[in-house]
Every structure is written in structure tokens, then in C-alpha cells.
Amino acid sequence: MPMNLAHRKLCSSEKWARTTRELILPFALDGVDLGDDVLEIGPGYGANLRVLVDRVPRLTAVEVDGKTARLLEGRWGDRARVLHADASDLPLPEASFDSVVCFTMLHHVPTRALQDRVFAEAHRALRPGGVFAGSDSLSSFGFRLLHLFDTMNVLDPEELPGRLAAAGFQDTKVERHTSGSGFRFRCRKAR
Ligand SMILES: C[S@@+](CC[C@H](N)C(=O)[O-])C[C@H]1O[C@@H](n2cnc3c(N)ncnc32)[C@H](O)[C@@H]1O
């Protein structure tokens, strides 16, 4: 489902691009080695993608909303491979990425079962030893307001290690941001 209007405005704004560049990405990716072949799932309007294209040799982005995917392709298609596809059913061969990343997107996956399929697909797409890392938000009054008439399926960080282990991952670390607004996670596919 496309995001609501307020959400689309926020996610496509320069303010959001600055927030994600200066706060979210440094927190989510601190100490993470992304390798050469990176897959970002749920890139939205590209706030993270525009930073990642300068950092990694090869970037693929998978966005489920067709209009957003076309917009991304128009803006970044010369520097990243943009696919209109569903991260819970990736049209990508197994073991083809060094890392899979996602930022502020998992709560937009409408059901727990589909979120678990996203984890399983991330695991399938990774090479042995590859890293799955990212961050997401925790619920608050403002966050719930922003998601009126929109998908909001916030994850419980306490449950994440078990869910990621069920998808096949190991060495999982989940940490809350000191602001209380979100959390980061990183885990690895066995070598
Ligand atoms: C709140 S936006 C965040 C976008 C971007 N990651 C950012 O931080 O600016 C969530 C994005 O995830 C996309 N999304 C949701 N479910 C998806 C799925 N199953 N596969 C790929 N993209 C998905 C939505 O269409 C939306 O563009």
C-alpha cells in the first residue's frame, strides 16, 4: 500500500534526507562492513539510497510501490539497480549479496508473517557470511499520528533475535537508540 500523504511528504523531504544521513544511517550502520554487493529493501524516495550509492560499489534497491520505484529509477537508475518488487518474495538469485539493509521500512510490512518472510528472503539473498542490518522506529504518539490510514506494524526489539534466528541468522545484536525513538539490528548468515 502506498504511504499516506503526510508520510510521502516527510519521506521525500530534504529534512528527512538530512535526518537519515546524519542520524539514522550512522546509528544503523556503525561498525557494519557492507561489502561490495548491497541490497536495500524498501528504499522509498531514496533518502538512504542516495548516501549508499556513494559508499558501495554495487547497489540494488527493491521497492514494492510501483510509482515510487519508477521515481527512484528515474533519479538513481544510472547508479543503482532499482527493482519494483516485494522484499517478501525477492526476484533475485540466492547468495548474491554481501549485505542486505533496510531503514524505517519493516513497520510498513503489514503482517508479522510477511515480516518473517522478508527476513527469510534477506537470508536467502545473502552470501555465506553476509550481513543483514538496519533500523526501525518504536511507537509513540507522533508516530501513530503520522501513520493514520497507513500501515504501521511496529516490531518488538525484544522478539527480533528469536525471529531472525528462525530465519536462519546468527550473531544477532539489537540495540535501542538512546532517544527511545528506534532500534538497530545486525546479524549474519553462517559462513
Ligand atoms: C517509511 S518508508 C521508508 C523509506 C526509506 N527506507 C527511508 O528511510 O526514507 C517505507 C518504504 O518501504 C516500502 N515497502 C514496504 N513494504 C515493502 C516490501 N514488502 N518490499 C519492498 N518495499 C516495501 C514502502 O513502499 C515504502 O517506500
Side-chain angles (χ1 to χ4, degrees):
M1 182 176 93
M3 295 182 285
N4 71 29
L5 181 62
H7 223 129
R8 292 201 302 273
K9 279 198 166 158
L10 173 68
C11 285
S12 60
S13 69
E14 278 308 311
K15 187 175 172 213
W16 177 249
R18 199 169 54 246
T19 301
T20 189
R21 184 178 67 242
E22 294 177 4
L23 299 175
I24 296 177
L25 281 174
F27 170 63
L29 296 182
D30 182 37
V32 174
D33 179 3
L34 293 176
D36 291 345
D37 287 303
V38 180
L39 169 64
E40 185 190 1
I41 54 179
Y45 293 95
N48 314 289
L49 182 146
R50 65 161 98 172
V51 177
L52 293 173
V53 286
D54 286 331
R55 280 201 201 165
V56 302
R58 288 178 292 281
L59 180 64
T60 299
V62 166
E63 169 55 53
V64 78
D65 182 63
K67 201 167 162 198
T68 310
R70 284 192 292 281
L71 200 132
L72 273 182
E73 167 66 24
R75 252 183 228 165
W76 302 103
D78 55 338
R79 302 190 58 201
R81 177 167 57 142
V82 178
L83 302 177
H84 172 208
D86 186 339
S88 66
D89 187 16
L90 288 172
L92 292 164
E94 65 176 87
S96 39
F97 294 95
D98 299 312
S99 57
V100 177
V101 293
C102 63
F103 311 96
T104 327
M105 75 76 69
L106 288 169
H107 70 272
H108 271 269
V109 179
T111 67
R112 184 183 174 97
L114 280 172
Q115 287 172 342
D116 288 338
R117 282 191 55 88
V118 169
F119 300 153
E121 282 291 84
H123 186 269
R124 186 183 65 76
L126 280 170
R127 296 187 177 122
V131 176
F132 180 36
S135 58
D136 215 311
S137 309
L138 292 169
S139 188
S140 65
F141 177 69
F143 193 69
R144 288 193 292 279
L145 211 55
L146 180 65
H147 287 78
L148 280 181
F149 310 111
D150 206 336
T151 307
M152 193 191 104
N153 186 21
V154 174
L155 292 86
D156 178 350
E158 308 300 324
E159 291 183 352
L160 208 43
R163 294 176 70 183
L164 290 167
F169 287 105
Q170 58 186 45
D171 301 337
T172 298
K173 281 206 177 80
V174 182
E175 286 154 297
R176 289 173 191 253
H177 193 267
T178 47
S179 67
S181 62
F183 64 91
R184 70 181 178 192
F185 66 91
R186 62 270 313 265
C187 52
R188 187 173 288 285
K189 182 169 178 169
R191 286 183 195 280

